[in-house]
Amino acid sequence: MSNKYTDRDHALILGGVFQAARITFELARYGRTDDQALEASVASLFQTDPESVQTVFGKPQCIALGLRHFITQLELPADRNPELTQYSIRLLQLGRKLFLDAKKTGALGNDLGDFQSRINAFEFEKHTQYSQLAKIYQDHISGMSPTVMVQGEPLHLQNPDTAARIRCALLAGVRAAHLWYQCGGKRWHLLTRQRRLLAAAHHLLEEET
């Protein structure tokens, strides 16, 4: 990818982080989420050599759920979801740790590449894909600190399929957070460039209207 990144690029990436956080919240609390948003987030995991940031996430519509909640969290304090904030912060922290650990990043990339090859060779059902990606999350991310402490209803958290989808979302969120740092993002940019990032997020959503 180019070494020059725009506010639009960074807003897309943050949309990816916040989409993963929102999917995690919805699955843990309600046992359901936007399936298209989940599939888009999972698809981003296999964009290992993208030409651009948009190549990772696809059309802005694919990341609209995350963009909307990014805007809400930063622009509307009264509607802010503290769990969503916590998940997003944890994902950014994990993304930075992964960015600084080339060995772990390489191992994760190898496992995702191997799994993509198997997907291309065999027709896995969605629940099988999610369970395999959940294992990759457990193998590479679960042991990292800080741990993402998912809050929700025990009925949903103890459901194997729901738990697998949550781990898929978290894996996609860590991947997006890693990309944030890879593309020059800093945590303090959420404060110092907040107005610019929000404007870019609004423009991305307007592209789909």
Side-chain angles (χ1 to χ4, degrees), residues 25 27-30 83 87 149-157:
F25 169 79
L27 287 170
R29 287 295 178 188
Y30 313 121
E83 290 178 36
Y87 296 151
M149 301 299 294
V150 177
Q151 306 172 54
E153 297 298 323
L155 175 68
H156 304 313
L157 295 175

Side-chain angles (χ1 to χ4, degrees), residues 158-206:
Q158 293 167 11
N159 180 298
D161 180 62
T162 303
R165 288 187 291 160
I166 287 172
R167 292 187 178 104
C168 287
L170 292 173
L171 184 60
V174 173
R175 187 264 190 273
H178 175 273
L179 186 63
W180 167 255
Y181 293 103
Q182 191 177 23
C183 294
K186 308 291 183 184
R187 278 191 62 187
W188 61 80
H189 288 169
L190 290 168
L191 294 174
T192 61
R193 301 183 184 179
Q194 183 178 126
R195 185 173 297 178
R196 288 163 47 184
L197 291 168
L198 285 168
H202 278 291
H203 289 153
L204 284 163
L205 288 176
E206 289 169 3

Side-chain angles (χ1 to χ4, degrees), residues 31-208:
R32 63 184 184 277
T33 190
D34 183 322
D35 289 336
Q36 290 185 331
L38 176 59
E39 289 177 15
S41 292
V42 168
S44 72
L45 291 167
F46 301 109
Q47 296 294 331
T48 54
D49 189 23
E51 295 180 357
S52 66
V53 170
Q54 182 155 334
T55 304
V56 177
F57 300 108
K59 296 179 180 180
Q61 182 181 8
C62 297
I63 212 76
L65 178 69
L67 290 168
R68 288 196 299 271
H69 286 286
F70 168 65
I71 290 168
T72 299
Q73 291 294 105
L74 271 67
E75 207 168 64
L76 303 171
D79 296 330
R80 191 171 293 156
N81 182 323
E83 290 178 36
L84 206 61
T85 300
Q86 180 187 30
Y87 296 151
S88 301
I89 290 172
R90 290 291 181 268
L91 290 172
L92 286 167
Q93 290 172 328
L94 289 170
R96 176 167 172 74
K97 285 205 168 184
L98 193 63
F99 175 68
L100 296 173
D101 191 335
K103 184 177 180 180
K104 182 176 282 292
T105 300
L108 173 59
N110 287 338
D111 276 4
L112 286 171
D114 289 344
F115 183 53
Q116 184 175 23
S117 297
R118 282 185 282 144
I119 290 175
N120 293 337
F122 306 100
E123 292 187 4
F124 290 119
E125 294 183 357
K126 286 294 181 186
H127 75 272
T128 303
Q129 290 186 35
Y130 293 158
S131 66
Q132 290 296 307
L133 287 170
K135 185 178 185 306
I136 291 175
Y137 174 84
Q138 289 177 298
D139 289 345
H140 295 281
I141 307 298
S142 287
M144 294 176 66
S145 176
T147 302
V148 181
M149 301 299 294
V150 177
Q151 306 172 54
E153 297 298 323
L155 175 68
H156 304 313
L157 295 175
Q158 293 167 11
N159 180 298
D161 180 62
T162 303
R165 288 187 291 160
I166 287 172
R167 292 187 178 104
C168 287
L170 292 173
L171 184 60
V174 173
R175 187 264 190 273
H178 175 273
L179 186 63
W180 167 255
Y181 293 103
Q182 191 177 23
C183 294
K186 308 291 183 184
R187 278 191 62 187
W188 61 80
H189 288 169
L190 290 168
L191 294 174
T192 61
R193 301 183 184 179
Q194 183 178 126
R195 185 173 297 178
R196 288 163 47 184
L197 291 168
L198 285 168
H202 278 291
H203 289 153
L204 284 163
L205 288 176
E206 289 169 3
E207 289 180 22
E208 297 301 321

